[in-house]
Amino acid sequence: MDILPRTFYERDTVLVAQDLLGKILVRKINNQILSGMIIETEAYKFGDPACHACKNITERNKGLFGEVGRAYVYFTYGNHYCLNAVARDLNTRSGGILIRAIKPIEGIEFMIANRRIQNLKTLTNGPGKLAQALQINNAQYGIDLTKEGELYITEGIKVKPEDIIATPRIGITKATENLWRFILKMPDY
DNA sequence: CTGTTGATCTGCT
DNA sequence: GCAGATCAACAGT
């Protein structure tokens, strides 16, 4: 499976968010492979009031201003890490895509052990849950997603435009009118 | 230095 | 459906 090239991330953040649906997120821990198909994303870009990087660069959000194709991880609500991919067209100052949900493919037993639950439905269907299942934390901040390593993204299935649902984003209080949350229709999930 | 807030999850009602 | 957990980053004093 081919790893997505850096040019994939050098486009408008909203476009990349849609294109990430159906791609495969791969996490390697020692020799254990964990992977899953990306089925839900949200786009955040510069000037967007709901985005961490809406105005000034700070210690936490500087990754969103850096090189595209890298991982941006942040900690919130005292309990949860969330995984983003940095992506923007080269005329924009910052932008990122929140990976909200994946469908587990490989290493499901390992994920269940990480999450200490039994219910498959709630294994990786939220940003914080997904990060916990894949053991993602600040150690993954800034990892290059375009190189084979402990965390990267590869080509997946082809997604038709009519299989993508756009809805308002979740858990924010500003700019809720932008339909920048994208869900992949999954007939068998 | 202090107070507030947040791209959430879980458990209980 | 709703409140509580829980803490780092941020902005203001």
Side-chain angles (χ1 to χ4, degrees), chain A residues 12-140:
Chain A
D12 184 82
T13 306
V14 175
L15 279 180
V16 178
Q18 296 177 57
D19 277 356
L20 273 178
L21 293 174
K23 300 295 188 287
I24 309 300
L25 178 67
V26 183
R27 172 83 170 107
K28 209 189 290 185
I29 301 172
N30 299 323
N31 285 324
Q32 172 71 245
I33 297 282
L34 306 178
S35 69
M37 187 189 308
I38 297 171
I39 57 174
E40 188 176 338
T41 61
E42 279 180 13
Y44 290 89
K45 62 200 293 189
F46 185 75
D48 170 17
C51 179
H52 287 169
C54 60
K55 36 187 184 184
N56 291 327
I57 183 168
T58 66
E59 192 57 30
R60 177 170 72 173
N61 68 26
K62 63 183 176 187
L64 291 173
F65 292 80
E67 189 179 26
V68 299
R70 289 184 176 272
Y72 167 65
V73 181
Y74 69 91
F75 185 70
T76 191
Y77 288 107
N79 286 325
H80 302 290
Y81 289 96
C82 296
L83 173 66
N84 296 248
V86 179
R88 63 175 180 276
D89 71 56
L90 299 181
N91 296 321
T92 308
R93 289 191 57 200
S94 69
I97 296 156
L98 172 67
I99 314 288
R100 287 196 58 88
I102 64 174
K103 178 187 178 183
I105 299 175
E106 291 178 84
I108 295 178
E109 293 301 320
F110 200 100
M111 296 185 204
I112 292 176
N114 288 337
R115 296 261 300 127
R116 294 189 171 183
I117 55 155
Q118 312 235 334
N119 190 343
L120 272 180
K121 274 233 160 187
T122 61
L123 186 59
T124 53
N125 67 339
K129 302 180 206 175
L130 165 151
Q132 188 182 8
L134 299 185
Q135 288 190 2
I136 288 169
N137 54 57
N138 275 348
Q140 277 72 47

